[in-house]
Amino acid sequence: MIYVFDSSPLIDLFRHYYPERFPTLWQNFDNLVLNKMIVSVSEVGKEIEDWGDRLSEWVKNHREFFLNPTTEEFNFVADIFRITHFQAMIRKKERLQGKPVADPFVIAKAKISGACVVTQEKLKENAAQIPNVCEHFGIPCIDLEGFMENENWMF
């Protein structure tokens, strides 16, 4: 299984699972990244690259992890936004400030790659969030704990 990570599980990993305390987790994570079993999208990298923390340093040293969208993925992003309700994924604040919006690209990468989205967002009725969009389009979507369970990581 290939996993496409949203920014939220990366943030949780880097904030709560210190390499010194969880070396096996990080060995497993690094192996999956190396084998391209975990990927993300360039927009996620742009969201977190300037935070000035351990995660942003990792982002700068792992540019190949953050994949650029393909034409097919751009077309699927357009399919997502053809559903008026899902246009709310791009919040007014991001539009006005020209900030990156990664969510639709994470979903599109998973759809086109036949992968599973990993996000910490929760399914909420009538929401325009990653799990809702994934459910609508039949794309597998799990949280960080579900990912660890899928990979049988026990610490």
Side-chain angles (χ1 to χ4, degrees), residues 107-146:
I107 297 164
K109 176 66 72 184
K111 174 68 173 177
I112 302 306
S113 304
C116 177
V117 171
V118 180
T119 184
Q120 296 300 83
E121 292 181 11
K122 303 294 181 208
L123 186 67
K124 293 181 184 170
E125 192 172 331
N126 298 318
Q129 293 189 329
I130 291 173
N132 298 76
V133 178
C134 286
E135 181 179 69
H136 179 84
F137 287 102
I139 301 165
C141 182
I142 57 177
D143 62 10
L144 184 59
E145 185 176 357

Side-chain angles (χ1 to χ4, degrees), residues 39-55:
V39 298
S40 193
V41 296
S42 57
E43 294 297 309
V44 166
K46 291 174 191 172
E47 282 182 352
I48 55 183
E49 68 186 349
D50 292 326
W51 288 5
D53 62 2
R54 192 166 52 93
L55 174 55

